[in-house]
Amino acid sequence: MKTIHYNLQDGIATVTFDEPNSPVNTMCLQWQDDLAELSEQVLKDKNSIRGLLLTSAKTTFFAGADLKGVMRLQASDAAAVFAGIERVKHHFRTLETLGKPVVSCLNGTALGGGWEVALVGHHRISIDDSKIQFGLPEVTLGLLPGASGVTKMTRQLGLMGAQPYLVEGKLFSPQKALELGLVHELIPQSSNAAADMHERALAWIAAHPVAQHPWEAKDYKVPGGTPANPKVAAMLAVAPAMIKQQTRGLYPAPEAILACMVEGLQVDVPTALRIESRYLAQLMTGANARAMVNTFFFNLNSVKSGQSRPGKTSRFKPQKVGLLGAGMMGAGIAYAQASRGMATVLKDITLEKAEAGKAYSTKLTQSRVTKGRMSAAQQAQHLSLIQTTEQASDLNGCDLIIETVVENRALKAQVTQEAEPLLASDGFFASNTSTLPIGGLAQASAAPEKFIGIHFFSPVDKMKLVEIIRGPQTSDDTVAKAFDYVQALGKLPIVVNDGQGFFTSRVFGTFVMEGVAMLSEGIPAPAIENAGIQCGMPVGPLAVLDETTLTLSLHVMDQARADCEAEGRSYVASAGELLLADMVRQHKRPGRSGGAGFYEYPPEKGAKKILWPQLKPLFEKDETTWNITDLKDRLLYRQAVETARCLAEGVLTSVHEANVGSIFGIGFPAWTGGSLQFIYGMGIEAFAHRCSELAASYGHGFVLTDEVKANLKQIQPFY
């Protein structure tokens, strides 16, 4: 065996998982073959074995499945996948039904298939370390825990108790595992913890010469009851509808997991395990799992591992950061920085405005104190890191200064020239602009090689993505420092090149403006909003325009017009842009912050917003024909086409940043795997064909040129 060491001594069979040339143990094909050999060896040695220990030679216990294989699967592979899953579980059953006590010694994290390996043990002992995580997050990758995880967790915790850990993929600590009865003993952290765990395992084996899982007993009662229980049956009548409400029918895994849980409790364990294998084989060979595994595992790991960080310089973390502007963005960044122990100077034109910005941190931390998630002393420490001021001199010695003032080139140039001389000698300057090209803003800088875009998303305390924009003269060292700074905040950095709107704002703009274009064509506003929800966007395009304000979009349009005129080009506003201008200038509806936009915002507390009733008489046209499929496709395909154009133009430089950026930055539906995976998932030719249909009916925004199409083929990832 190459991935498993087996040692039988004094009646104790020690099984050590140790995959060569890998920092973690996985269920790779070699491991599956080794598991078969282990199973065979244990059967041969049965009469000599008093007990088995499952251990790991890595710092973690077991990482789970080898997911690259999932990316190569097609629907036609389902039968072979089913057989492979059944083979693994057959060997698990050999170990756990041998009649001999099996102890899982959990020295570190065990997730997914790793937790299912741990569940083979009748008795589970863990190091008491809050950094260790257990759980079955397969649902977040479009899969289900099909190596006995659904069957065992449901029988151990009951239908209601297991749902958060199966349907939602919730992780848990060793302490929580002990509370749930999923771990039976905790060993305090110490230099002797491994030896102590080994000693406790041997003691348990000595005390339990015969062992089986509790659910194997004929008189075992599942906590809360089975589907035959009237109370459980009543709950199950509404559970599928509740899941459908959350998934909108776009994510098959949660529904499959619930079905597997319910069906499995109505049969014996071997049959339940077989049901589990069938559901997993179906999911593994489906498009949704490939899309989600691609992005939420491989692409996300590419971002986190720093593939886009240039150079090999040592890691950078600023000790002091200046923020120019204490509005919504400045206040949010200040909170994020203080949360990570960074000293922050929050400057505005008056001390009162700066203090108002700091009050946002007070509000957020007070909420945590009230809920018991933060002590008063920790709150005081957090707030002490934010220095408010109206004096530029307080910025002296900052390692980084970020301007967060309004999208006005002249104002941004003014604050840049005022603050830049106060930077530390190796410091750098950043703009939080969401649309203005960095090259143009850097003209105000005395050191354009140290000028960069760092685009946060609102609300900063909740949004994980940060878009780093490299200007034409920005140095690799500055990009690397910005990348490190974003990671030090615990956020996800993507690096893009310069251009109007960069990547995220440019693609986001196509989503909201396609919605406004539909309205200008006479399509009912409720149909437009429902199309956005049904295709998987967090909210409809009109609702999100209200949140970001119509005035901001109008300002961006005006800036684009001015830029065109400055370059001697004419700017022709679209029908959607003209409608947007009318909403603001004629109808005085600037967005939610102004109390009125595409939606009405009743002043009564708790009252829900409603679409502005005047949208119907003003814009809806009875003669306009439409269908929901076209509406949904327009909203998704328009964004995907613009992403492909960004890639062809060099604004984007990698597929993984496009996918991660589109999901975490602009809310592109996670079920697709991101705006480029949306294309690759259906196939470039199929995507191009649908684009041509949409372009014929709805215009140039859907045109996929031969150049863009060729570029998509050239950079398509293969596994």
Side-chain angles (χ1 to χ4, degrees):
M1 293 183 286
K2 296 176 181 175
T3 65
I4 300 173
H5 306 306
Y6 176 78
N7 179 48
L8 177 58
Q9 188 172 354
D10 299 328
I12 302 299
T14 302
V15 177
T16 305
F17 303 114
D18 188 12
E19 184 175 331
N21 304 314
S22 173
V24 295
N25 296 307
T26 66
M27 289 179 166
C28 61
L29 290 175
Q30 181 61 57
W31 181 85
Q32 293 175 38
D33 289 341
D34 289 349
L35 181 66
E37 191 175 331
L38 171 68
S39 173
E40 187 179 336
Q41 187 63 50
V42 167
L43 285 174
K44 286 180 184 176
D45 295 339
K46 179 178 178 180
N47 293 334
S48 304
I49 293 175
R50 289 191 295 112
L52 291 94
L53 303 181
L54 304 183
T55 68
S56 168
K58 311 295 185 183
T59 54
T60 58
F61 179 71
F62 209 104
D66 179 10
L67 292 170
K68 279 192 177 178
V70 175
M71 298 304 298
R72 296 188 287 268
L73 295 174
Q74 300 297 324
S76 57
D77 297 315
V81 170
F82 171 80
I85 301 165
E86 284 289 279
R87 179 187 181 219
V88 168
K89 289 198 283 196
H90 169 74
H91 300 309
F92 281 0
R93 293 293 286 166
T94 297
L95 299 180
E96 62 194 25
T97 61
L98 196 66
K100 308 290 184 176
V102 181
V103 180
S104 297
C105 300
L106 307 177
N107 63 310
T109 290
L111 297 176
W115 180 244
E116 290 171 303
V117 171
L119 288 175
V120 171
H122 306 116
H123 191 70
R124 294 173 286 280
I125 308 175
S126 172
I127 304 293
D128 189 5
D129 181 352
S130 60
K131 292 179 182 177
I132 290 176
Q133 288 187 310
F134 300 138
L136 298 163
E138 281 88 343
V139 68
T140 63
L141 300 177
L143 300 169
L144 65 74
S148 74
V150 173
T151 299
K152 290 177 178 176
M153 292 287 280
T154 306
R155 278 166 162 75
Q156 172 77 29
L157 302 176
L159 270 169
M160 294 297 289
Q163 275 199 51
Y165 307 103
L166 295 174
V167 179
E168 300 169 30
K170 186 178 179 181
L171 305 183
F172 46 94
S173 66
Q175 284 281 356
K176 185 65 177 178
L178 183 69
E179 181 186 319
L180 292 168
L182 295 169
V183 160
H184 307 97
E185 292 185 66
L186 294 181
I187 302 297
Q189 279 183 276
S190 72
S191 57
N192 297 320
D196 293 343
M197 186 157 55
H198 185 262
E199 183 180 325
R200 292 301 308 148
L202 294 180
W204 192 85
I205 288 171
H208 300 82
V210 178
Q212 66 174 8
H213 289 303
W215 51 80
E216 305 282 3
K218 288 185 178 180
D219 59 348
Y220 180 72
K221 288 186 171 21
V222 175
T226 69
N229 182 305
K231 288 184 179 179
V232 175
M235 180 273 294
L236 292 176
V238 297
M242 292 173 66
I243 288 179
K244 187 79 79 175
Q245 184 181 33
Q246 293 174 339
T247 67
R248 302 167 195 168
L250 298 170
Y251 300 85
E255 294 179 37
I257 291 170
L258 180 63
C260 188
M261 294 169 74
V262 174
E263 292 169 27
L265 280 186
Q266 299 176 76
V267 294
D268 59 17
V269 172
T271 308
L273 292 171
R274 194 157 63 251
I275 290 170
E276 189 185 80
S277 299
R278 286 176 179 152
Y279 275 111
L280 178 56
Q282 184 180 25
L283 291 175
M284 280 180 72
T285 54
N288 178 251
R290 283 195 299 278
M292 295 184 72
V293 167
N294 173 77
T295 301
F296 292 99
F297 187 78
F298 292 111
N299 288 178
L300 205 52
N301 284 343
S302 294
V303 169
K304 290 178 178 178
S305 65
Q307 281 193 19
S308 300
R309 183 188 189 274
K312 296 181 179 178
T313 54
S314 58
R315 288 279 163 178
F316 165 82
K317 182 178 179 181
Q319 299 304 304
K320 180 181 178 184
V321 180
L323 298 172
L324 308 180
M328 181 173 63
M329 296 306 294
I333 298 168
Y335 172 81
Q337 290 180 170
S339 296
R340 293 288 172 146
M342 290 183 197
T344 299
V345 179
L346 185 59
K347 179 191 177 298
D348 213 307
I349 53 175
T350 67
L351 186 60
E352 288 75 22
K353 287 189 174 183
E355 285 290 345
K358 183 175 180 177
Y360 182 70
S361 285
T362 304
K363 176 185 171 184
L364 291 181
T365 53
Q366 186 56 49
S367 174
R368 296 189 67 197
V369 170
T370 302
K371 293 174 182 176
R373 296 175 183 171
M374 176 183 259
S375 68
Q378 288 171 322
Q379 181 188 32
Q381 171 64 20
H382 178 111
L383 296 174
S384 72
L385 290 168
I386 303 173
Q387 175 191 352
T388 54
T389 185
E390 80 279 29
Q391 299 293 328
S393 57
D394 287 330
L395 298 166
N396 195 48
C398 281
D399 302 306
L400 166 63
I401 295 175
I402 305 173
E403 66 82 4
T404 70
V405 300
V406 295
E407 298 286 83
N408 179 287
R409 278 198 177 86
L411 179 58
K412 287 181 182 291
Q414 179 187 328
V415 299
T416 299
Q417 291 167 348
E418 177 187 68
E420 197 178 53
L422 299 169
L423 280 165
S425 58
D426 59 347
F428 66 105
F429 193 94
S431 171
N432 181 53
T433 180
S434 59
T435 57
L436 300 176
I438 295 302
L441 297 179
Q443 291 175 8
S445 172
E449 73 281 2
K450 292 184 176 182
F451 192 101
I452 196 167
I454 301 181
H455 174 208
F456 287 86
F457 295 80
S458 182
V460 177
D461 56 290
K462 293 180 180 174
M463 297 294 281
K464 291 283 287 181
L465 192 83
V466 178
E467 185 178 32
I468 297 170
I469 305 102
R470 179 199 283 269
Q473 294 173 270
T474 308
S475 70
D476 279 356
D477 182 59
T478 301
V479 175
K481 284 181 175 179
F483 194 97
D484 294 346
Y485 160 70
V486 171
Q487 285 200 319
L489 292 177
K491 297 188 180 293
L492 296 170
I494 62 168
V495 180
V496 303
N497 286 320
D498 205 7
Q500 189 76 39
F502 325 124
F503 163 52
T504 55
S505 295
R506 176 174 162 180
V507 174
F508 171 78
T510 65
F511 166 61
V512 295
M513 291 313 298
E514 194 63 29
V516 179
M518 291 174 186
L519 191 62
S520 73
E521 294 164 16
I523 296 170
I528 298 167
E529 295 296 82
N530 281 330
I533 296 295
Q534 285 184 34
C535 73
M537 296 297 295
V539 292
L542 305 181
V544 80
L545 252 177
D546 267 13
E547 295 297 330
T548 57
T549 73
L550 281 67
T551 47
L552 176 61
S553 295
L554 195 60
H555 181 78
V556 171
M557 285 159 44
D558 290 342
Q559 187 69 62
R561 179 184 289 108
D563 291 345
C564 282
E565 291 170 355
E567 295 170 10
R569 295 183 289 119
S570 60
Y571 182 87
V572 180
S574 67
E577 289 172 330
L578 293 173
L579 186 152
L580 196 66
D582 281 350
M583 285 288 290
V584 176
R585 292 171 179 151
Q586 184 178 336
H587 302 295
K588 312 300 181 189
R589 302 188 72 84
R592 181 166 191 165
S593 61
F598 289 107
Y599 282 78
E600 292 270 74
Y601 298 94
E604 296 83 16
K605 188 175 182 181
K608 288 186 176 182
K609 66 181 181 182
I610 58 168
L611 279 162
W612 184 36
Q614 289 303 303
L615 293 178
K616 183 178 175 70
L618 283 171
F619 305 116
E620 198 171 313
K621 299 169 187 171
D622 292 338
E623 65 271 21
T624 300
T625 59
W626 55 273
N627 67 75
I628 195 68
T629 299
D630 273 10
L631 299 191
K632 291 192 292 184
D633 283 358
R634 286 176 69 176
L635 294 174
L636 291 186
Y637 278 74
R638 185 65 190 87
Q639 295 180 76
V641 168
E642 201 65 27
T643 302
R645 291 173 180 174
C646 286
L647 196 68
E649 294 166 19
V651 173
L652 280 166
T653 60
S654 73
V655 172
H656 67 261
E657 286 172 311
N659 287 330
V660 170
S662 64
I663 291 174
F664 288 91
I666 58 180
F668 198 81
W671 67 266
T672 66
S675 52
L676 282 186
Q677 181 59 32
F678 178 66
I679 299 173
Y680 293 131
M682 76 178 70
I684 296 171
E685 293 302 330
F687 178 78
H689 177 72
R690 180 59 174 148
C691 282
S692 65
E693 293 177 342
L694 294 170
S697 300
Y698 307 112
H700 176 75
F702 298 96
V703 171
L704 196 71
T705 65
D706 290 341
E707 179 188 4
V708 172
K709 187 175 166 183
N711 186 67
L712 282 170
K713 290 179 178 178
Q714 184 181 339
I715 52 85
Q716 182 173 5
F718 292 96
Y719 292 87

